[in-house]
Amino acid sequence: MNRTRTRYSGIICHPTSFPGPHGIGDCGDDAYRFVEWMQRAAQTHWQVLPLAPVGSGDSPYASPSAFAGSPLLISLPWLVGDGLLDPSSIADPPPFSASQVEFDAVRAFKMPLFREAFHRFQAGASSHLRPEFDVYLEAQRDWLDDFALFMALKQEFDGAAWIDWPPPIALRDSGALAEARGRLRNEIRLQQFTQFLFDRQWADLHRYANQHGLRIVGDLPIFVAYDSADVWAHRDLFRLDREGRPLLVAGVPPDAFSATGQFWGNPVYDWDRHQATGLQWWIDRIRTTLQRVDMLRIDHFRGFAASWVIPFGATVAAEGRWEEGPGREFFATLVRELGELPLIVEDLGLITSDVVALRQALNLPGMSVLHFAFDSGSSNAYLPHNYTPLTVCYTGTHDNQTTVGWFRSLPDHLRTNVQRYLGRDGSDIAWDLIRLAHESVADWAIVPLQDVMRLDDDARMNAPGSGSGNWGWRYTPHLLHDGLSAGLRELTETYGRTGSVYRHGGHDPYDYTVATTEHGLHRRI
């Protein structure tokens, strides 16, 4: 039966990578220029990393909150425009790198300015924002109050992990918390205010992106950091002992990359307890995230089928075991509470039959990465001739080398495999793979901005397993030029990825949300 299909293309670029004078990309003018460039390139999807505050190693995947936004993304000139900062306070910024985010230096510069903006607000500046702030406090209080107190306490205790705070506060004695809320009242309100500023600026940018034909694809890590407001405020939802220390931590078993497996260190969920609460924490988390984005990539989707859990204190990750995840009923509950969910699932790595079965039961698009396609013959699932349409094809992701760096580092026999498959010599390898992604049957083709710009590995975003030197890449303004947008538009139009429909036998992926019926879950068609 013939039905219409809709094909899309998009770019991965985290907002920290935008240009600007204050050491880090933000929600200001260069973000709007990027949106306009995306429209000229006929792109339909803008994929970002988690928008959360960064944590250990400056990673957005190790955040102190699964709900909060990153204050570092707040535009200072827009605070001047709101009357919250004097223009002179940002007139002479430090000499930041134009190509790398220096997170410590950015924090040292920006955080005092947020405090200054807050003091001006308390003193009566920008009074037009006060009713909006009051509404925000009420609407977000379920997560915001705990987060703000957590961050205020973390500052008071010189950044120590919550488990090392005085026990009455670490274990949330009601009297100790009430005393802390009174003692830290102003610092708590500052934390709430910076979240308000972030969400206000991001909402404007999100709206602008939608008006220019872009859907924003967010990222939802399955696990949270141990040293986070989420674990501190909801210890009962995690496998912890009476003192709050982990009984189990997440990781991966031995594989081709590690003979002993990998420790991730994230606390493991108590899924029975989550189910007993009706998944309320997850419902709140996803609802909050979908206020900021239009679609969600579920990181480490395989954990909903089964996770590798390791006893805390084990010497190697190989001492762990597989534990069954919450499975299909988890998503059915979310749909009953939240309605249809626009999801992509990250199904890379060690994917077993139960993971495949869960994704297929939910009829959700999985990920195929071209960098993984050329090392095992014509049956490799990541080769485009093996795709089904319900697929998101990437050249690489934020965890990969850039395509230029990847191709340069390949051994000769694999480079030959790539050249043979492409029918090209690879002299323009980044755009060769971009073209391959676009011409595939995958309904989505999404590529890192670094590949569009033909950049080498000095523009890599993250090298998994490396605890420092990641997440910092920024582009300089001259790299985002209209020659690139014109080239992307040509590819996008050539391969029908402008969001218009074409005729094809099969289902219509335009409605790619999970829905529920009396029989369970399915994709609406």
Side-chain angles (χ1 to χ4, degrees), residues 102-148:
E102 299 162 330
F103 284 94
D104 287 342
V106 169
R107 275 188 285 266
F109 174 64
K110 279 197 160 186
M111 300 311 287
L113 292 171
F114 299 149
R115 192 172 298 276
E116 177 183 332
F118 176 59
H119 290 331
R120 289 171 67 100
F121 181 71
Q122 283 186 308
S126 305
S127 58
H128 64 285
L129 295 179
R130 196 163 302 278
E132 189 179 343
F133 181 45
D134 291 340
V135 169
Y136 180 81
L137 291 175
E138 181 61 30
Q140 306 299 329
R141 69 179 349 175
D142 286 347
W143 67 268
L144 183 59
D145 289 356
D146 281 324
F147 168 75

Short mmCIF file of all heavy atoms in Angstrom, two decimals, residues 102-148:
data_model
loop_
_atom_site.label_atom_id
_atom_site.label_comp_id
_atom_site.label_asym_id
_atom_site.label_seq_id
_atom_site.Cartn_x
_atom_site.Cartn_y
_atom_site.Cartn_z
N GLU A 102 36.75 27.57 27.66
CA GLU A 102 37.55 27.38 28.87
C GLU A 102 36.58 27.53 30.04
O GLU A 102 36.35 28.62 30.55
CB GLU A 102 38.67 28.42 28.91
CG GLU A 102 39.62 28.30 27.73
CD GLU A 102 40.48 29.53 27.49
OE1 GLU A 102 40.03 30.66 27.81
OE2 GLU A 102 41.60 29.35 26.98
N PHE A 103 36.00 26.42 30.45
CA PHE A 103 34.85 26.45 31.35
C PHE A 103 35.13 27.16 32.66
O PHE A 103 34.31 27.94 33.14
CB PHE A 103 34.33 25.04 31.60
CG PHE A 103 33.56 24.47 30.45
CD1 PHE A 103 34.17 23.68 29.49
CD2 PHE A 103 32.20 24.72 30.32
CE1 PHE A 103 33.46 23.15 28.43
CE2 PHE A 103 31.46 24.20 29.27
CZ PHE A 103 32.10 23.41 28.31
N ASP A 104 36.28 26.92 33.26
CA ASP A 104 36.58 27.56 34.55
C ASP A 104 36.65 29.08 34.39
O ASP A 104 36.12 29.82 35.23
CB ASP A 104 37.90 27.03 35.12
CG ASP A 104 37.77 25.61 35.65
OD1 ASP A 104 36.63 25.16 35.88
OD2 ASP A 104 38.82 24.95 35.82
N ALA A 105 37.29 29.52 33.32
CA ALA A 105 37.41 30.96 33.09
C ALA A 105 36.04 31.58 32.79
O ALA A 105 35.74 32.70 33.23
CB ALA A 105 38.38 31.23 31.93
N VAL A 106 35.21 30.86 32.05
CA VAL A 106 33.87 31.37 31.74
C VAL A 106 33.04 31.48 33.01
O VAL A 106 32.34 32.49 33.24
CB VAL A 106 33.18 30.46 30.70
CG1 VAL A 106 31.70 30.83 30.57
CG2 VAL A 106 33.87 30.58 29.35
N ARG A 107 33.11 30.45 33.86
CA ARG A 107 32.37 30.52 35.14
C ARG A 107 32.85 31.70 35.98
O ARG A 107 32.03 32.43 36.57
CB ARG A 107 32.55 29.22 35.90
CG ARG A 107 31.58 28.13 35.52
CD ARG A 107 31.69 26.93 36.44
NE ARG A 107 32.88 26.15 36.15
CZ ARG A 107 32.90 25.09 35.34
NH1 ARG A 107 31.81 24.69 34.73
NH2 ARG A 107 34.04 24.43 35.13
N ALA A 108 34.17 31.90 36.04
CA ALA A 108 34.72 32.99 36.85
C ALA A 108 34.26 34.35 36.34
O ALA A 108 34.11 35.29 37.13
CB ALA A 108 36.24 32.91 36.85
N PHE A 109 34.02 34.45 35.05
CA PHE A 109 33.56 35.72 34.47
C PHE A 109 32.05 35.89 34.59
O PHE A 109 31.57 36.97 34.99
CB PHE A 109 33.97 35.76 32.99
CG PHE A 109 33.45 36.96 32.24
CD1 PHE A 109 33.83 38.25 32.58
CD2 PHE A 109 32.56 36.78 31.19
CE1 PHE A 109 33.35 39.35 31.88
CE2 PHE A 109 32.07 37.87 30.48
CZ PHE A 109 32.46 39.16 30.83
N LYS A 110 31.30 34.85 34.29
CA LYS A 110 29.84 35.01 34.18
C LYS A 110 29.11 34.98 35.52
O LYS A 110 28.14 35.73 35.72
CB LYS A 110 29.27 33.91 33.27
CG LYS A 110 29.40 34.21 31.78
CD LYS A 110 28.47 33.32 30.97
CE LYS A 110 28.22 33.91 29.59
NZ LYS A 110 27.22 33.16 28.83
N MET A 111 29.54 34.11 36.43
CA MET A 111 28.75 33.94 37.65
C MET A 111 28.65 35.23 38.46
O MET A 111 27.56 35.55 38.96
CB MET A 111 29.30 32.79 38.48
CG MET A 111 29.29 31.43 37.77
SD MET A 111 27.70 30.99 37.00
CE MET A 111 26.73 30.61 38.45
N PRO A 112 29.72 36.02 38.63
CA PRO A 112 29.55 37.29 39.35
C PRO A 112 28.59 38.24 38.65
O PRO A 112 27.90 39.04 39.31
CB PRO A 112 30.98 37.86 39.39
CG PRO A 112 31.87 36.67 39.26
CD PRO A 112 31.14 35.75 38.34
N LEU A 113 28.52 38.16 37.31
CA LEU A 113 27.59 39.03 36.59
C LEU A 113 26.14 38.60 36.80
O LEU A 113 25.24 39.44 36.86
CB LEU A 113 27.95 39.04 35.10
CG LEU A 113 29.29 39.72 34.78
CD1 LEU A 113 29.66 39.51 33.33
CD2 LEU A 113 29.21 41.22 35.10
N PHE A 114 25.91 37.30 36.92
CA PHE A 114 24.56 36.84 37.27
C PHE A 114 24.18 37.33 38.66
O PHE A 114 23.03 37.72 38.91
CB PHE A 114 24.46 35.32 37.21
CG PHE A 114 24.74 34.72 35.86
CD1 PHE A 114 25.32 33.47 35.74
CD2 PHE A 114 24.45 35.42 34.69
CE1 PHE A 114 25.57 32.92 34.50
CE2 PHE A 114 24.70 34.88 33.45
CZ PHE A 114 25.27 33.63 33.35
N ARG A 115 25.14 37.32 39.56
CA ARG A 115 24.87 37.81 40.91
C ARG A 115 24.56 39.31 40.88
O ARG A 115 23.65 39.79 41.57
CB ARG A 115 26.09 37.52 41.81
CG ARG A 115 25.84 37.71 43.30
CD ARG A 115 27.03 37.23 44.11
NE ARG A 115 27.27 35.80 43.92
CZ ARG A 115 26.65 34.85 44.60
NH1 ARG A 115 25.75 35.17 45.53
NH2 ARG A 115 26.93 33.58 44.38
N GLU A 116 25.31 40.05 40.06
CA GLU A 116 25.05 41.48 39.92
C GLU A 116 23.65 41.72 39.35
O GLU A 116 22.91 42.61 39.82
CB GLU A 116 26.10 42.11 39.00
CG GLU A 116 25.89 43.59 38.74
CD GLU A 116 26.91 44.17 37.77
OE1 GLU A 116 28.04 43.65 37.70
OE2 GLU A 116 26.57 45.15 37.07
N ALA A 117 23.27 40.93 38.33
CA ALA A 117 21.94 41.07 37.74
C ALA A 117 20.85 40.78 38.78
O ALA A 117 19.82 41.47 38.84
CB ALA A 117 21.79 40.12 36.55
N PHE A 118 21.11 39.79 39.62
CA PHE A 118 20.14 39.43 40.66
C PHE A 118 20.00 40.57 41.68
O PHE A 118 18.88 40.92 42.09
CB PHE A 118 20.58 38.14 41.34
CG PHE A 118 19.72 37.72 42.50
CD1 PHE A 118 18.36 37.49 42.33
CD2 PHE A 118 20.27 37.57 43.76
CE1 PHE A 118 17.57 37.09 43.39
CE2 PHE A 118 19.48 37.17 44.83
CZ PHE A 118 18.12 36.93 44.65
N HIS A 119 21.12 41.15 42.09
CA HIS A 119 21.06 42.26 43.05
C HIS A 119 20.28 43.44 42.46
O HIS A 119 19.48 44.08 43.16
CB HIS A 119 22.47 42.69 43.44
CG HIS A 119 23.20 41.69 44.29
ND1 HIS A 119 22.55 40.83 45.15
CD2 HIS A 119 24.53 41.42 44.42
CE1 HIS A 119 23.43 40.07 45.77
NE2 HIS A 119 24.64 40.39 45.34
N ARG A 120 20.50 43.73 41.21
CA ARG A 120 19.76 44.83 40.56
C ARG A 120 18.27 44.50 40.51
O ARG A 120 17.42 45.39 40.73
CB ARG A 120 20.30 45.08 39.16
CG ARG A 120 21.69 45.71 39.14
CD ARG A 120 22.27 45.73 37.73
NE ARG A 120 21.55 46.61 36.84
CZ ARG A 120 21.93 47.85 36.50
NH1 ARG A 120 23.05 48.35 37.01
NH2 ARG A 120 21.23 48.58 35.67
N PHE A 121 17.95 43.24 40.23
CA PHE A 121 16.55 42.82 40.19
C PHE A 121 15.92 42.97 41.57
O PHE A 121 14.79 43.48 41.70
CB PHE A 121 16.48 41.37 39.71
CG PHE A 121 15.09 40.82 39.60
CD1 PHE A 121 14.23 41.25 38.60
CD2 PHE A 121 14.64 39.85 40.49
CE1 PHE A 121 12.94 40.73 38.50
CE2 PHE A 121 13.36 39.33 40.39
CZ PHE A 121 12.50 39.77 39.39
N GLN A 122 16.63 42.55 42.61
CA GLN A 122 16.12 42.69 43.98
C GLN A 122 15.91 44.15 44.36
O GLN A 122 15.00 44.48 45.13
CB GLN A 122 17.08 42.04 44.97
CG GLN A 122 17.01 40.52 45.02
CD GLN A 122 17.90 39.99 46.12
OE1 GLN A 122 19.08 40.33 46.21
NE2 GLN A 122 17.33 39.14 46.98
N ALA A 123 16.76 45.00 43.79
CA ALA A 123 16.68 46.43 44.11
C ALA A 123 15.61 47.15 43.30
O ALA A 123 15.44 48.37 43.46
CB ALA A 123 18.04 47.09 43.89
N GLY A 124 14.92 46.42 42.42
CA GLY A 124 13.81 47.03 41.69
C GLY A 124 14.00 47.16 40.20
O GLY A 124 13.08 47.61 39.50
N ALA A 125 15.18 46.80 39.68
CA ALA A 125 15.40 46.88 38.24
C ALA A 125 14.51 45.86 37.52
O ALA A 125 14.17 44.82 38.07
CB ALA A 125 16.87 46.63 37.91
N SER A 126 14.14 46.21 36.29
CA SER A 126 13.37 45.29 35.43
C SER A 126 12.14 44.76 36.15
O SER A 126 11.85 43.56 36.14
CB SER A 126 14.25 44.13 34.95
OG SER A 126 15.41 44.60 34.31
N SER A 127 11.40 45.66 36.75
CA SER A 127 10.23 45.24 37.53
C SER A 127 9.18 44.54 36.68
O SER A 127 8.35 43.79 37.21
CB SER A 127 9.61 46.46 38.23
OG SER A 127 9.23 47.45 37.28
N HIS A 128 9.24 44.75 35.36
CA HIS A 128 8.28 44.09 34.48
C HIS A 128 8.47 42.57 34.48
O HIS A 128 7.56 41.82 34.10
CB HIS A 128 8.41 44.63 33.05
CG HIS A 128 9.74 44.34 32.41
ND1 HIS A 128 10.89 45.02 32.74
CD2 HIS A 128 10.10 43.43 31.47
CE1 HIS A 128 11.91 44.55 32.03
NE2 HIS A 128 11.46 43.58 31.24
N LEU A 129 9.66 42.11 34.92
CA LEU A 129 9.93 40.68 34.95
C LEU A 129 9.41 40.00 36.22
O LEU A 129 9.34 38.77 36.29
CB LEU A 129 11.43 40.41 34.83
CG LEU A 129 12.11 40.80 33.53
CD1 LEU A 129 13.60 40.48 33.60
CD2 LEU A 129 11.48 40.08 32.35
N ARG A 130 9.06 40.79 37.22
CA ARG A 130 8.73 40.20 38.51
C ARG A 130 7.50 39.29 38.45
O ARG A 130 7.54 38.17 38.99
CB ARG A 130 8.54 41.31 39.56
CG ARG A 130 8.58 40.80 41.00
CD ARG A 130 8.81 41.95 41.95
NE ARG A 130 10.04 42.67 41.66
CZ ARG A 130 11.25 42.27 42.06
NH1 ARG A 130 11.38 41.17 42.76
NH2 ARG A 130 12.31 42.98 41.77
N PRO A 131 6.39 39.69 37.82
CA PRO A 131 5.25 38.75 37.74
C PRO A 131 5.61 37.47 36.99
O PRO A 131 5.18 36.38 37.39
CB PRO A 131 4.18 39.56 37.00
CG PRO A 131 4.55 40.99 37.21
CD PRO A 131 6.04 41.02 37.25
N GLU A 132 6.42 37.61 35.94
CA GLU A 132 6.83 36.43 35.17
C GLU A 132 7.69 35.50 36.03
O GLU A 132 7.56 34.27 35.96
CB GLU A 132 7.60 36.90 33.93
CG GLU A 132 7.91 35.80 32.94
CD GLU A 132 8.65 36.34 31.71
OE1 GLU A 132 8.64 37.57 31.49
OE2 GLU A 132 9.25 35.52 30.99
N PHE A 133 8.57 36.07 36.83
CA PHE A 133 9.42 35.28 37.72
C PHE A 133 8.57 34.55 38.77
O PHE A 133 8.80 33.37 39.06
CB PHE A 133 10.45 36.19 38.39
CG PHE A 133 11.41 35.50 39.33
CD1 PHE A 133 12.02 34.30 38.97
CD2 PHE A 133 11.72 36.06 40.56
CE1 PHE A 133 12.91 33.66 39.83
CE2 PHE A 133 12.61 35.43 41.42
CZ PHE A 133 13.20 34.23 41.06
N ASP A 134 7.58 35.23 39.32
CA ASP A 134 6.72 34.60 40.31
C ASP A 134 5.96 33.41 39.71
O ASP A 134 5.82 32.35 40.36
CB ASP A 134 5.73 35.62 40.88
CG ASP A 134 6.40 36.68 41.74
OD1 ASP A 134 7.53 36.42 42.22
OD2 ASP A 134 5.81 37.76 41.93
N VAL A 135 5.47 33.57 38.49
CA VAL A 135 4.78 32.47 37.82
C VAL A 135 5.75 31.31 37.59
O VAL A 135 5.40 30.13 37.78
CB VAL A 135 4.19 32.96 36.48
CG1 VAL A 135 3.70 31.77 35.64
CG2 VAL A 135 3.05 33.93 36.73
N TYR A 136 6.98 31.62 37.20
CA TYR A 136 7.99 30.59 36.95
C TYR A 136 8.29 29.80 38.23
O TYR A 136 8.36 28.56 38.20
CB TYR A 136 9.26 31.25 36.42
CG TYR A 136 10.39 30.28 36.12
CD1 TYR A 136 10.42 29.57 34.93
CD2 TYR A 136 11.44 30.08 37.02
CE1 TYR A 136 11.45 28.69 34.64
CE2 TYR A 136 12.46 29.20 36.75
CZ TYR A 136 12.46 28.51 35.55
OH TYR A 136 13.49 27.64 35.29
N LEU A 137 8.45 30.49 39.34
CA LEU A 137 8.73 29.82 40.61
C LEU A 137 7.64 28.82 40.96
O LEU A 137 7.93 27.71 41.43
CB LEU A 137 8.87 30.86 41.74
CG LEU A 137 10.09 31.76 41.70
CD1 LEU A 137 10.00 32.80 42.82
CD2 LEU A 137 11.37 30.95 41.84
N GLU A 138 6.41 29.19 40.74
CA GLU A 138 5.30 28.31 41.07
C GLU A 138 5.23 27.13 40.10
O GLU A 138 5.03 25.98 40.51
CB GLU A 138 3.98 29.09 41.04
CG GLU A 138 2.76 28.26 41.38
CD GLU A 138 2.81 27.68 42.78
OE1 GLU A 138 3.43 28.30 43.67
OE2 GLU A 138 2.24 26.57 42.99
N ALA A 139 5.43 27.40 38.81
CA ALA A 139 5.29 26.36 37.79
C ALA A 139 6.37 25.30 37.90
O ALA A 139 6.14 24.13 37.59
CB ALA A 139 5.28 26.98 36.40
N GLN A 140 7.58 25.70 38.33
CA GLN A 140 8.73 24.79 38.32
C GLN A 140 9.13 24.33 39.73
O GLN A 140 10.17 23.68 39.88
CB GLN A 140 9.93 25.48 37.65
CG GLN A 140 9.66 26.04 36.27
CD GLN A 140 9.25 24.98 35.26
OE1 GLN A 140 9.66 23.83 35.35
NE2 GLN A 140 8.41 25.37 34.30
N ARG A 141 8.32 24.59 40.72
CA ARG A 141 8.76 24.36 42.09
C ARG A 141 9.05 22.89 42.39
O ARG A 141 9.87 22.59 43.26
CB ARG A 141 7.73 24.91 43.08
CG ARG A 141 6.44 24.14 43.11
CD ARG A 141 5.44 24.70 44.14
NE ARG A 141 6.03 25.68 45.03
CZ ARG A 141 5.34 26.37 45.93
NH1 ARG A 141 4.04 26.17 46.06
NH2 ARG A 141 5.93 27.24 46.70
N ASP A 142 8.43 21.94 41.68
CA ASP A 142 8.61 20.53 41.99
C ASP A 142 10.07 20.09 41.88
O ASP A 142 10.50 19.19 42.59
CB ASP A 142 7.74 19.66 41.09
CG ASP A 142 6.27 19.72 41.47
OD1 ASP A 142 5.97 20.22 42.57
OD2 ASP A 142 5.42 19.27 40.68
N TRP A 143 10.82 20.71 40.97
CA TRP A 143 12.24 20.40 40.87
C TRP A 143 13.12 21.57 41.28
O TRP A 143 14.22 21.37 41.80
CB TRP A 143 12.60 19.97 39.44
CG TRP A 143 12.48 21.07 38.41
CD1 TRP A 143 11.39 21.36 37.64
CD2 TRP A 143 13.48 22.04 38.05
NE1 TRP A 143 11.64 22.44 36.84
CE2 TRP A 143 12.92 22.88 37.06
CE3 TRP A 143 14.79 22.28 38.47
CZ2 TRP A 143 13.62 23.94 36.48
CZ3 TRP A 143 15.49 23.34 37.90
CH2 TRP A 143 14.91 24.15 36.91
N LEU A 144 12.63 22.79 41.07
CA LEU A 144 13.47 23.97 41.22
C LEU A 144 13.88 24.23 42.67
O LEU A 144 15.03 24.61 42.94
CB LEU A 144 12.74 25.19 40.65
CG LEU A 144 13.49 26.52 40.66
CD1 LEU A 144 14.79 26.43 39.86
CD2 LEU A 144 12.59 27.63 40.09
N ASP A 145 12.98 24.00 43.62
CA ASP A 145 13.30 24.29 45.01
C ASP A 145 14.43 23.39 45.51
O ASP A 145 15.38 23.86 46.16
CB ASP A 145 12.05 24.12 45.89
CG ASP A 145 11.02 25.21 45.65
OD1 ASP A 145 11.30 26.14 44.86
OD2 ASP A 145 9.93 25.13 46.25
N ASP A 146 14.35 22.10 45.21
CA ASP A 146 15.42 21.19 45.63
C ASP A 146 16.73 21.50 44.93
O ASP A 146 17.80 21.46 45.54
CB ASP A 146 15.03 19.73 45.36
CG ASP A 146 14.08 19.17 46.42
OD1 ASP A 146 14.24 19.53 47.60
OD2 ASP A 146 13.19 18.38 46.07
N PHE A 147 16.66 21.80 43.65
CA PHE A 147 17.88 22.11 42.90
C PHE A 147 18.55 23.36 43.46
O PHE A 147 19.77 23.40 43.66
CB PHE A 147 17.56 22.30 41.42
CG PHE A 147 18.71 22.90 40.64
CD1 PHE A 147 19.82 22.11 40.32
CD2 PHE A 147 18.70 24.23 40.24
CE1 PHE A 147 20.89 22.66 39.61
CE2 PHE A 147 19.76 24.79 39.54
CZ PHE A 147 20.87 23.99 39.22
N ALA A 148 17.77 24.41 43.69
CA ALA A 148 18.34 25.66 44.18
C ALA A 148 18.98 25.47 45.55
O ALA A 148 20.07 26.00 45.83
CB ALA A 148 17.27 26.75 44.23
#
